[in-house]
Amino acid sequence: MSKIRHALNTRRADDFAQWYQEVISAADMAEESGVRGCMVIKPWGYGIWERIQRLLDARIKATGHDNCYFPIFIPLSNFEREAEHVEGFAKEMAVVTHHRLIADGEGGLIPDPEAKLEEPLVVRPTSETIIGDAMARWVQSWRDLPLKLNQWANVVRWEMRTRMFLRTSEFLWQEGHTAHENADDAKAHTLRMLEVYRAHAEEDLAMPVVAGEKPEHERFPGAVETWSIEAMMQDGKALQAGTSHYLGTNFAQAAGIRYQSREGAQELCHTTSWGVSTRLVGGMIMTHGDDDGLRVPPRLAPWQVVILPMLREDDGDAALLEYCERLRSSLGAQWACGEPLRILLDDKPGKAAAKRWDWVRKGAPVIVEVGGRDMDGGVVSLLRRDNLWGENGKPAFQTPTIEDAGQAIPAMLEEIQQALFAEAAQRRDANVKRGVSTMAEIEDFFATNDRYPGWVEVQWSRPTGAALDKVVEDLKALKLTVRNVPIGAEEVDGACAFTGDPAVERVLIGKAY
Amino acid sequence: MSKIRHALNTRRADDFAQWYQEVISAADMAEESGVRGCMVIKPWGYGIWERIQRLLDARIKATGHDNCYFPIFIPLSNFEREAEHVEGFAKEMAVVTHHRLIADGEGGLIPDPEAKLEEPLVVRPTSETIIGDAMARWVQSWRDLPLKLNQWANVVRWEMRTRMFLRTSEFLWQEGHTAHENADDAKAHTLRMLEVYRAHAEEDLAMPVVAGEKPEHERFPGAVETWSIEAMMQDGKALQAGTSHYLGTNFAQAAGIRYQSREGAQELCHTTSWGVSTRLVGGMIMTHGDDDGLRVPPRLAPWQVVILPMLREDDGDAALLEYCERLRSSLGAQWACGEPLRILLDDKPGKAAAKRWDWVRKGAPVIVEVGGRDMDGGVVSLLRRDNLWGENGKPAFQTPTIEDAGQAIPAMLEEIQQALFAEAAQRRDANVKRGVSTMAEIEDFFATNDRYPGWVEVQWSRPTGAALDKVVEDLKALKLTVRNVPIGAEEVDGACAFTGDPAVERVLIGKAY
């Protein structure tokens, strides 16, 4: 049995869901707000989201998109136009019906009956319909195409069961919306943005993903094709971490997005939409967290290096702080992972050991402790958060000289970014089961791998209609879903695991968030 | 009469309100959305807002605040707790009463009567009450204070008359919220953030402001003190461009924000809040715009330098583009106004002159045209947007060599930033009338200065109660309001312009947006 005294109460292996809640609380990332299904994102959680925003926004701008802002309210009539779309969302939208409150005569407030809206407004669950209206105004000719827009916004979907970052009634996201001349161009763009998401997940979040197409029954309401990136969490479940949709002419038809073609004809645009949300933060937690709390990849860490002077409120503190400042300034001019280093000298009051464990739980990539003895020896005591424990069951402090630390830390951050990705990729690769060829074998695999199920990759015939319904139902009985049809999977050779018909492609199957 | 053919149809002097709308449209910044009172912020307008966000966010973080995110929905009961606060907002809030839509049986949708919320939710008009709840959870002891939070968010106030950027039902803003041990600390912080706003307005937006305290009747609902920065628009009206509030213990009492003091007693916190919004964009337009459109201060410009190759779709274009690239790369490594230059090489199709005027209307600070003749001569044709017209009534092109242009442009951007501020400050200073000492003189001043009223600075006795009501009413009859009590105004010496009592301070009076 390990001698290690971990910094959390719950082990991942014991209760992954409980562990997840505990990480969020121990790392001080977010909490329940008291408003149904909505969370408060606290500074450390929001700081990570700001990093995601900054890095992804640069990728979105680099692919030629402009940021805009569209109204949060969508008139009811917009939803009535696109039947399949409203069908997909109508069950879970917040509806504004009044624009004023009045006193109820008993010390309380009620919506003013005199201030009832003629047409109720929906708080956007997504903005296809309202942005479609704008595109219809903005697009006249093929010269205006492609039109490539993006918005960072809050959206609301009335969820019955919520879990912080993963599923909340209000969440923060970006939604990209583009209009194109034809299907080929729009489909190519759908895949281009899927690739942007893959690169962002893998390079920035250090979270390996499988990019692929969603099967028909898992499409976004109103979409012709839906593509996703799927990440494997440490409990083996899949997290859909981003989606990119080719919408055909469905929304263009509903909103009237038409253009004069090169040949002078009036044509409907082909549109796309794609989004990722604060759910990514949840994915990052469940990819990298360990039994001591969060581990934030250096590219996402609000602070990459935390310097902790072990202050004792005596005369030596000024010298100690000066020594810490020396390290900070030698690091201050350096870059890692493509940006200037982000360094915090945390000289707030508090016991040094308690502060160390706070930063361990928060997952700062490099923690540097500096005590009087370090200073006397010209060294610092440095912890790599990705590799916290020594073989003796104690924190694995390294004690380089202060000069060496100043030089080595930027390279160390690059290493941590790579190491976190490699660790997650290895775990993912080890837990995708191939060679399963029947429903019975699928059932058997998940029955014997209940704690850490992972995914199976099987061949199928891409069934439709009733045949697809049966597959979905059989899988559902095992709490399984088809995640996606991975891009770049091996060629098929044999029969569909479900129908026995000749297989046409491979699909990933797993439990999912 | 001027020979100049301006790029807008409307002159400021002819119809300032119409001119304002035309600038927004001609610069392609925003448009009506079709959703009541809400606008769509288009890429150029949103790009300017992103610059404001980035610059102000850095100032807010530098003063020790952390960004967070709180729910958009506020339970009705939160408003019932703080009577004065709800009184100030109850007339204009969007109320969510249902969480689902169903078909009405006639092809339309209605809120589902089965999905009526037990307690209606208000779409936040501001977040004091919900953030107060969080502060009550987070603050235990004096060691947790000051607690300094900030949020970037959308808010909704149901406005009857809207005007783009200045007053819209939904708008974007930041709201800072802090909790302190005592009144002195909280009041000092209220003024510190007012100073952050002043510096941001003057240094980033190049918009001179007067910082001061609002009179009692203009306070934020629930505040003990409200301070503002007021900017003079080119029509002489005042724009309240930012406010900072000392809230006393009012919100702490309502939400239960208590801490254990250094002496071990349970005490109420003293809180502050402060915000600026997309209204700043409107202020920037009305401060710097001219009869040719917008003029964006370099620190705010999404693109500071726009290079326009005069393409002719013949064989010479490749050489011309290469020549433009030379300029871009010589500029690319340089900085101005504290950041790397933001340069656009606009090689989109279109007639060169039309594109020039588009960028003039958008207000890009420096426009560089490059034609075949420029290339042959080794020069470029450069326009400074802040000083567009020559004495001959033609655009005042400068034609430095390409090498000189590459060197001179960063300094030119700094000059433009300073020149726009100086121009606005001079206009403001010339239009604050002093030495007015009675209500009759105030009336006379505004009667004879109807087109360009400016402001008057008068002495008053800080009347309260009925005496204040009378002042407010008399001013209102002239469409005037007290803007604020400027910090650093001259000493008083004499009687109040309204009551005849001994004056205690000076106030600014003007028409306002």
Side-chain angles (χ1 to χ4, degrees):
Chain A
M1 191 178 155
S2 167
K3 294 173 293 183
I4 294 173
R5 287 187 54 203
H6 283 292
L8 297 186
N9 296 320
T10 313
R11 304 283 90 81
R12 286 162 291 173
D14 294 338
D15 186 339
F16 196 76
Q18 172 66 27
W19 167 86
Y20 177 76
Q21 297 295 340
E22 194 183 339
V23 173
I24 290 172
S25 162
D28 212 17
M29 299 177 77
E31 66 183 21
E32 300 293 345
S33 67
V35 180
R36 204 199 143 291
C38 296
M39 65 177 173
V40 174
I41 310 181
K42 300 178 80 172
W44 189 247
Y46 197 79
I48 292 168
W49 175 243
E50 283 184 305
R51 292 289 310 154
I52 290 175
Q53 282 190 300
R54 179 160 297 207
L55 295 168
L56 181 56
D57 191 64
R59 292 180 188 270
I60 290 172
K61 284 183 173 139
T63 43
H65 302 83
D66 286 318
N67 284 342
C68 302
Y69 189 76
F70 293 87
I72 187 174
F73 296 130
I74 302 182
L76 215 51
S77 53
N78 279 42
F79 283 93
E80 292 165 354
R81 293 187 314 224
E82 224 292 300
E84 195 180 337
H85 185 61
V86 69
E87 180 69 18
F89 282 103
K91 289 180 184 141
E92 41 176 359
M93 300 198 287
V95 189
V96 176
T97 55
H98 293 73
H99 65 82
R100 191 186 306 137
L101 297 172
I102 53 164
D104 65 359
E106 296 168 9
L109 294 165
I110 50 169
D112 182 351
E114 302 285 308
K116 193 170 174 183
L117 299 179
E118 277 186 36
E119 179 179 9
L121 296 170
V122 170
V123 180
R124 64 182 160 219
T126 180
S127 304
E128 275 74 10
T129 68
I130 194 115
I131 294 182
D133 285 352
M135 285 178 163
R137 295 192 296 270
W138 300 352
V139 172
Q140 312 292 332
S141 124
W142 62 271
R143 288 183 194 83
D144 301 320
L145 300 174
L147 178 61
K148 301 197 281 187
L149 305 174
N150 182 59
Q151 163 170 275
W152 291 93
N154 54 344
V155 290
V156 172
R157 299 176 187 179
W158 207 264
E159 301 284 355
M160 282 302 130
R161 290 191 185 173
T162 60
R163 198 185 300 215
M164 279 193 281
F165 289 111
L166 298 177
R167 178 168 277 117
T168 47
S169 290
E170 181 191 17
F171 56 94
L172 305 182
W173 80 345
Q174 65 61 224
E175 49 181 320
H177 297 269
T178 67
H180 304 261
E181 284 186 68
N182 54 52
D184 283 351
D185 194 31
K187 286 183 185 180
H189 199 70
T190 305
L191 287 177
R192 189 174 301 127
M193 298 322 294
L194 188 72
E195 168 58 16
V196 164
Y197 287 160
R198 185 207 61 74
H200 173 59
E202 299 199 333
E203 295 165 12
D204 298 334
L205 279 75
M207 180 172 78
V209 294
V210 175
E213 189 178 359
K214 284 283 189 188
E216 176 189 329
H217 64 286
E218 297 273 8
R219 281 181 200 139
F220 175 74
V224 175
E225 294 175 4
T226 286
W227 299 74
S228 73
I229 52 171
E230 304 279 334
M232 187 185 286
M233 304 293 97
Q234 289 184 67
D235 61 351
K237 285 193 190 171
L239 183 80
Q240 179 179 300
T243 48
S244 184
H245 315 288
Y246 166 57
L247 304 172
T249 57
N250 293 342
F251 286 88
Q253 179 79 56
I257 315 172
R258 290 190 172 79
Y259 71 98
Q260 188 171 48
S261 74
R262 292 162 204 260
E263 292 76 34
Q266 283 290 311
E267 304 277 0
L268 283 172
C269 287
H270 292 249
T271 67
T272 82
S273 69
W274 27 277
V276 300
S277 73
T278 31
R279 176 168 246 222
L280 282 177
V281 178
M284 188 269 286
I285 296 169
M286 292 193 290
T287 300
H288 300 304
D290 66 14
D291 291 344
D292 299 298
L294 187 60
R295 297 188 300 174
V296 190
R299 283 182 71 83
L300 289 198
W303 303 118
Q304 297 167 312
V305 183
V306 174
I307 304 172
L308 292 174
M310 301 176 75
L311 302 171
R312 290 161 310 180
E313 297 180 27
D314 66 15
D315 291 347
D317 281 359
L320 194 64
L321 279 172
E322 199 179 321
Y323 187 74
C324 289
E325 275 295 353
R326 251 177 72 198
L327 178 62
R328 170 152 74 174
S329 41
S330 85
L331 289 170
Q334 298 191 58
W335 288 45
C337 306
E339 290 173 286
L341 254 63
R342 295 181 294 280
I343 309 149
L344 176 69
L345 200 171
D346 178 1
D347 57 0
K348 274 188 291 195
K351 288 195 178 160
K355 286 172 68 178
R356 175 208 303 160
W357 290 110
D358 281 346
W359 284 110
V360 164
R361 282 183 283 257
K362 281 172 177 286
V366 172
I367 299 167
V368 187
E369 285 187 19
V370 186
R373 200 179 292 178
D374 295 297
M375 182 170 62
D376 296 343
V379 300
V380 298
S381 296
L382 182 155
L383 275 180
R384 260 181 75 153
R385 178 61 185 88
D386 65 323
N387 212 344
L388 195 63
W389 299 102
E391 290 185 3
N392 59 359
K394 298 217 161 95
F397 281 105
Q398 301 175 31
T399 52
T401 65
I402 189 169
E403 290 77 17
D404 286 351
Q407 288 306 306
I409 285 174
M412 190 177 287
L413 291 168
E414 306 264 7
E415 274 175 42
I416 295 171
Q417 183 78 26
Q418 301 305 325
L420 288 173
F421 179 79
E423 185 183 326
Q426 194 176 28
R427 186 173 55 234
R428 191 263 318 259
D429 292 343
N431 289 287
V432 176
K433 173 78 175 169
R434 293 187 173 80
V436 172
S437 55
T438 64
M439 189 67 206
E441 284 176 30
I442 293 173
E443 182 162 3
D444 190 50
F445 173 80
F446 284 99
T448 54
N449 290 272
D450 189 43
R451 160 134 357 257
Y452 196 97
W455 304 340
V456 297
E457 188 186 278
V458 299
Q459 305 190 130
W460 83 344
S461 57
R462 193 183 281 200
T464 55
L468 176 59
D469 292 345
K470 178 160 177 13
V471 172
V472 172
E473 206 170 298
D474 289 351
L475 289 173
K476 195 178 170 189
L478 302 171
K479 295 182 181 165
L480 297 173
T481 48
V482 179
R483 303 315 306 154
N484 67 21
V485 178
I487 295 171
E490 277 179 47
E491 297 271 300
V492 291
D493 60 346
C496 171
F498 307 103
T499 63
D501 293 339
V504 299
E505 62 196 11
R506 293 177 189 270
V507 293
L508 277 183
I509 288 170
K511 298 188 177 176
Y513 281 93
Chain B
M1 192 178 155
S2 169
K3 292 173 294 183
I4 295 172
R5 288 187 52 203
H6 285 292
L8 297 185
N9 296 320
T10 312
R11 304 283 90 83
R12 286 163 291 174
D14 293 338
D15 186 340
F16 196 76
Q18 172 65 26
W19 167 86
Y20 176 76
Q21 298 294 340
E22 193 183 341
V23 173
I24 290 172
S25 162
D28 212 18
M29 299 177 76
E31 66 183 21
E32 299 294 345
S33 67
V35 180
R36 207 202 140 289
C38 297
M39 65 178 172
V40 174
I41 309 180
K42 301 179 80 172
W44 189 247
Y46 197 79
I48 292 167
W49 175 243
E50 284 184 305
R51 291 290 309 154
I52 289 175
Q53 282 190 299
R54 177 159 300 204
L55 295 168
L56 181 57
D57 191 64
R59 292 180 188 270
I60 290 172
K61 284 182 173 141
T63 42
H65 302 82
D66 286 317
N67 284 342
C68 303
Y69 189 76
F70 293 86
I72 187 173
F73 296 130
I74 302 181
L76 215 50
S77 53
N78 279 41
F79 283 93
E80 292 164 356
R81 293 188 314 224
E82 224 293 299
E84 195 180 340
H85 185 60
V86 69
E87 180 70 19
F89 281 104
K91 289 181 185 139
E92 41 175 0
M93 301 198 288
V95 189
V96 176
T97 55
H98 294 73
H99 65 82
R100 192 186 304 136
L101 298 172
I102 53 163
D104 65 359
E106 296 169 11
L109 293 164
I110 51 169
D112 183 353
E114 302 285 308
K116 193 170 173 182
L117 299 178
E118 277 186 39
E119 180 179 9
L121 296 170
V122 171
V123 180
R124 63 181 161 220
T126 180
S127 303
E128 275 74 12
T129 69
I130 194 112
I131 294 182
D133 285 353
M135 285 179 163
R137 295 192 296 271
W138 300 352
V139 172
Q140 312 292 332
S141 124
W142 62 271
R143 288 184 194 80
D144 302 319
L145 299 175
L147 177 61
K148 300 196 281 187
L149 306 174
N150 181 59
Q151 163 170 277
W152 290 93
N154 53 344
V155 289
V156 172
R157 300 176 186 180
W158 207 263
E159 300 284 355
M160 281 303 130
R161 289 191 186 175
T162 61
R163 200 186 299 217
M164 280 193 282
F165 290 112
L166 298 178
R167 179 168 277 117
T168 48
S169 290
E170 181 191 17
F171 57 92
L172 305 180
W173 79 345
Q174 66 61 226
E175 48 181 322
H177 298 268
T178 67
H180 304 261
E181 285 187 69
N182 54 52
D184 283 352
D185 194 30
K187 285 183 185 180
H189 198 70
T190 305
L191 287 177
R192 190 174 301 123
M193 298 321 293
L194 188 73
E195 167 59 15
V196 164
Y197 287 160
R198 184 206 61 75
H200 173 59
E202 299 199 333
E203 294 166 13
D204 298 335
L205 279 74
M207 181 172 78
V209 294
V210 175
E213 188 178 359
K214 285 284 190 189
E216 174 188 331
H217 65 287
E218 297 274 7
R219 282 181 200 140
F220 174 75
V224 175
E225 295 175 4
T226 287
W227 300 74
S228 73
I229 53 171
E230 305 279 334
M232 188 185 286
M233 304 293 99
Q234 288 184 66
D235 61 352
K237 285 192 189 170
L239 184 80
Q240 179 178 300
T243 48
S244 184
H245 315 288
Y246 165 57
L247 305 171
T249 56
N250 293 341
F251 286 88
Q253 179 79 55
I257 315 172
R258 290 190 171 78
Y259 71 98
Q260 188 170 48
S261 73
R262 292 162 203 259
E263 292 75 34
Q266 283 290 310
E267 303 277 0
L268 283 172
C269 287
H270 291 250
T271 67
T272 82
S273 69
W274 26 276
V276 300
S277 73
T278 31
R279 177 168 245 227
L280 282 177
V281 178
M284 188 269 286
I285 296 169
M286 292 194 289
T287 300
H288 300 303
D290 67 14
D291 291 343
D292 300 298
L294 187 60
R295 297 188 300 174
V296 190
R299 283 182 71 84
L300 289 198
W303 302 118
Q304 297 167 312
V305 182
V306 174
I307 304 172
L308 291 175
M310 302 177 75
L311 302 171
R312 289 159 311 178
E313 297 180 25
D314 66 15
D315 291 347
D317 282 359
L320 194 64
L321 280 172
E322 199 180 320
Y323 186 76
C324 290
E325 276 294 354
R326 253 177 71 198
L327 178 62
R328 170 153 73 175
S329 40
S330 85
L331 289 171
Q334 299 191 57
W335 287 45
C337 307
E339 290 174 287
L341 253 62
R342 296 181 294 279
I343 309 150
L344 175 70
L345 201 171
D346 178 0
D347 57 359
K348 274 189 290 195
K351 288 196 178 159
K355 287 172 66 178
R356 175 209 303 160
W357 289 110
D358 281 346
W359 284 109
V360 164
R361 282 183 285 256
K362 281 172 178 286
V366 172
I367 300 167
V368 187
E369 285 188 17
V370 186
R373 199 179 294 178
D374 295 297
M375 183 170 62
D376 296 342
V379 300
V380 299
S381 297
L382 183 155
L383 274 180
R384 261 180 74 153
R385 179 60 185 90
D386 65 322
N387 213 344
L388 195 61
W389 299 102
E391 292 187 1
N392 59 0
K394 299 218 161 94
F397 281 106
Q398 302 175 30
T399 52
T401 66
I402 189 168
E403 289 78 17
D404 287 350
Q407 288 307 308
I409 284 174
M412 190 178 287
L413 290 168
E414 307 264 8
E415 274 173 42
I416 295 171
Q417 183 78 27
Q418 301 305 325
L420 287 174
F421 179 78
E423 185 183 325
Q426 194 176 27
R427 187 173 53 235
R428 192 261 321 259
D429 292 343
N431 289 286
V432 177
K433 173 77 175 172
R434 293 185 173 82
V436 172
S437 55
T438 65
M439 189 67 204
E441 283 176 30
I442 293 172
E443 183 163 1
D444 188 51
F445 173 80
F446 284 99
T448 54
N449 290 273
D450 189 43
R451 162 136 352 258
Y452 196 98
W455 305 339
V456 298
E457 189 187 277
V458 300
Q459 305 190 131
W460 83 346
S461 57
R462 194 183 280 199
T464 56
L468 176 59
D469 292 346
K470 177 157 176 15
V471 172
V472 172
E473 207 169 300
D474 288 350
L475 289 174
K476 194 177 172 191
L478 301 171
K479 294 181 181 167
L480 297 173
T481 48
V482 179
R483 303 314 307 153
N484 67 21
V485 178
I487 296 171
E490 277 179 48
E491 298 271 300
V492 290
D493 60 346
C496 171
F498 306 102
T499 63
D501 294 339
V504 299
E505 62 197 12
R506 291 175 191 272
V507 293
L508 278 183
I509 289 170
K511 297 189 178 176
Y513 280 93

